[in-house]
Amino acid sequence: MSDVLSHIIPRLSRSDQDQKIESANFSVPFNRSSLEGRELEYIFQAITSGQISGGQTFSKRCELLLEQVLGVKRALITTSCTHALEMCALLLNIQPGDEIITTSFTFVSTVNAFVLRGATPIFCDIRADTLNIDENKLEALITPNTKAIVPIHYSGIACEMDQIVEVANRYDIPIIEDNAHGLFGKYKKRYLGTIGCLATQSFHETKNITCGEGGALLINDPHYLERAEIICEKGTDRSRFFRGQVDKYTWIDVGSSYVISDVLAAFLFAQLEVRQKIQFRRQSLWERYHFELAEWACFNNIRQPFIPPECDPGWHLYYLILPSLEQRQALISHLKAAGILAVFHYHPLHLSEMGRKLTKQSQMCPVCEDIHDRILRLPFYNSMTDGQQTYILETLLKFSCG
Ligand SMILES: *Cc1c(COP(=O)(O)O)cnc(C)c1O
């Protein structure tokens, strides 16, 4: 280990202390990022190589790893999942007046990326069992203006893709998978992110594998390959120039700067390298919640997540659905009193201030509204210790919906 690194490490552990003090009110945080492998060593390598811009060694290594493991034609590492979604909207030439169909039970970026280009979101309700887009309500929402269907594999458990693909193909509408939750999850033995013509990943701090802020665009339809590289490189053919395919690079299309610094890519590559360890740890945390809470949940009329038989989960999050809003709030307070932070999401987008402005017809998503009132996410992160989870479980088991 280098001198520089030995200077960095004590400083890192000091900020570790700071963080503990900040979150002193909670002995168990909701989420926490952690070093999983050779992050510091790779960052040091990136910095001392003198090449820390986008498209360098570690970015290429991340892209190659995703391409080989997932079997996608091309993976482009981006500054965020939000930006990868924006790239999708540009690749599809989304225009004012176009519509995209997605769910209201998602992160705002799933929709905002298309709204930025002038599209109107059409919200499809979710299934009460998986909280994914309800494939049986999809077709009724398609109009001549529908330009994309954007399913989210909620919590890393796949949407019913066969039926979604069948409907999309019949109307010739591209599918973009927002796979922020589902990296390395599978549907009928196929990796999520390999089914739509495009897919997006997030490496935000809250995701299984992270570099703080980062993302990826996965390209399955070869039709988008060339233009995706150009959009990512500020509308220039710089990627072709770096490969020696052209002798100068120039402005040829719209675009922006969606590439990530190699310092962050170095952090990301170290995590991607140990993806099996990370996924295995999350699977065992998930399964322990699931099995040890089963009887208590059943007794209290609390619903646990459902995994359809054709799905291998991505193990992104663990949730409970309480019988009522009041009981959900009571459980949050019960956990908070014990120093455990549990949270809920997503505020239905169609009920938000912006959502109400954008959607003319009153789009009814009763399942989404009901779930939002009753869902609770439990603390879930790679570095959670068995002891912490025992404490959370013991605290939960003392709660009764009575
Ligand atoms: C986290 C998340 C995003 C946004 O990811 P960023 O990398 O923070 O831009 C988009 N969609 C879903 C479903 C997410 O969970």
Side-chain angles (χ1 to χ4, degrees):
M1 220 182 256
S2 72
D3 275 359
V4 177
L5 210 51
S6 58
H7 284 290
I8 295 172
I9 288 168
R11 246 175 271 153
L12 278 176
S13 32
R14 262 207 301 281
S15 71
D16 217 44
Q17 289 294 320
D18 294 346
Q19 206 171 351
K20 278 203 191 104
I21 292 161
E22 262 173 45
S23 56
N25 291 337
F26 292 108
S27 52
V28 183
F30 176 70
N31 180 63
R32 188 178 190 340
S33 77
S34 48
L35 295 175
E36 297 290 339
R38 299 163 75 176
E39 289 90 340
L40 297 178
E41 187 186 329
Y42 289 166
I43 285 178
F44 180 75
Q45 273 180 34
I47 292 170
T48 50
S49 76
Q51 295 180 311
I52 52 170
S53 61
Q56 306 297 336
T57 316
F58 284 105
S59 299
K60 286 190 195 135
R61 289 171 82 179
C62 290
E63 290 175 354
L64 195 65
L65 185 148
L66 289 173
E67 286 160 11
Q68 288 179 342
V69 173
L70 301 175
V72 292
K73 295 215 169 53
R74 188 82 170 89
L76 293 170
I77 297 296
T78 60
T79 30
S80 65
C81 180
T82 303
H83 281 166
L85 286 160
E86 286 180 19
M87 287 182 67
C88 293
L90 288 169
L91 283 167
L92 263 54
N93 290 314
I94 299 292
Q95 307 287 328
D98 290 347
E99 295 171 359
I100 63 121
I101 302 176
T102 186
T103 56
S104 185
F105 195 64
T106 183
F107 188 63
V108 63
S109 296
T110 315
V111 170
N112 236 349
F114 298 91
V115 168
L116 264 177
R117 321 267 12 118
T120 303
I122 304 294
F123 296 114
C124 184
D125 206 355
I126 56 174
R127 282 168 51 151
D129 57 356
T130 57
L131 318 190
N132 282 329
I133 190 165
D134 187 336
E135 64 279 2
N136 293 318
K137 294 183 181 154
L138 175 62
E139 188 169 0
L141 300 174
I142 293 176
T143 76
N145 297 326
T146 309
K147 291 293 150 56
I149 297 168
V150 191
I152 297 98
H153 305 297
Y154 181 75
S155 81
I157 293 171
C159 300
E160 183 39 56
M161 291 310 288
D162 278 355
Q163 199 174 328
I164 295 168
V165 169
E166 189 275 317
V167 172
N169 286 350
R170 204 146 28 82
Y171 290 88
D172 200 19
I173 299 168
I175 293 176
I176 297 171
E177 297 174 75
D178 180 343
N179 195 31
H181 297 188
L183 184 59
F184 305 126
K186 289 181 180 171
Y187 173 76
K188 298 194 173 172
K189 304 296 166 205
R190 279 178 74 179
Y191 277 117
L192 303 183
T194 66
I195 302 164
C197 37
L198 298 164
T200 63
Q201 300 298 152
S202 174
F203 301 115
H204 183 262
E205 182 182 86
T206 49
K207 303 306 195 301
N208 299 21
I209 287 172
T210 182
C211 60
E213 300 277 358
L217 174 67
L218 308 180
I219 303 166
N220 297 305
D221 182 342
H223 171 73
Y224 298 109
L225 285 171
E226 194 175 325
R227 215 174 149 230
E229 276 189 348
I230 292 165
I231 287 172
C232 204
E233 279 285 9
K234 300 99 182 160
T236 73
D237 55 352
R238 191 157 79 160
S239 302
R240 275 187 287 190
F241 170 73
F242 280 142
R243 286 197 293 265
Q245 291 164 334
V246 288
D247 60 7
K248 61 175 168 38
Y249 73 86
T250 180
W251 184 22
I252 49 179
D253 201 339
V254 294
S256 191
S257 183
Y258 292 127
V259 295
I260 191 174
S261 157
D262 225 47
V263 178
L264 282 179
F267 192 103
L268 179 59
F269 185 68
Q271 298 228 328
L272 283 170
E273 242 182 6
V274 295
R275 63 194 175 278
Q276 278 155 329
K277 178 189 87 169
I278 292 172
Q279 291 299 89
F280 185 76
R281 178 64 188 151
R282 294 182 81 97
Q283 178 175 357
S284 49
L285 290 168
W286 198 101
E287 288 177 342
R288 187 165 173 223
Y289 273 142
H290 206 63
F291 295 123
E292 295 198 21
L293 293 175
E295 206 178 309
W296 166 83
C298 186
F299 186 76
N300 285 289
N301 204 14
I302 293 170
R303 192 171 79 61
Q304 295 181 285
F306 164 67
I307 306 177
E310 59 276 13
C311 298
D312 293 322
W315 314 114
H316 174 53
L317 57 84
Y318 194 85
Y319 67 81
L320 298 170
I321 304 206
L322 278 288
S324 70
L325 171 68
E326 293 68 31
Q327 275 150 341
R328 194 264 309 270
Q329 297 308 99
L331 181 51
I332 291 175
S333 307
H334 172 80
L335 291 168
K336 195 170 175 178
I340 299 165
L341 181 59
V343 301
F344 59 92
H345 72 170
Y346 290 109
H347 183 242
L349 292 175
H350 69 288
L351 300 180
S352 67
E353 192 178 325
M354 186 67 178
R356 275 180 311 196
K357 259 188 239 163
L358 282 169
T359 53
K360 280 146 274 164
Q361 78 268 46
S362 64
Q363 284 168 348
M364 295 292 286
C365 299
V367 181
C368 168
E369 290 175 30
D370 173 48
I371 294 291
H372 162 258
D373 284 342
R374 298 191 289 122
I375 194 167
L376 184 65
R377 298 172 61 191
L378 299 182
F380 199 66
Y381 48 91
N382 302 345
S383 60
M384 177 181 283
T385 63
D386 290 342
Q388 283 172 322
Q389 196 176 25
T390 303
Y391 177 64
I392 298 165
L393 286 165
E394 282 169 1
T395 310
L396 284 166
L397 295 178
K398 281 182 208 145
F399 179 84
S400 149
C401 285

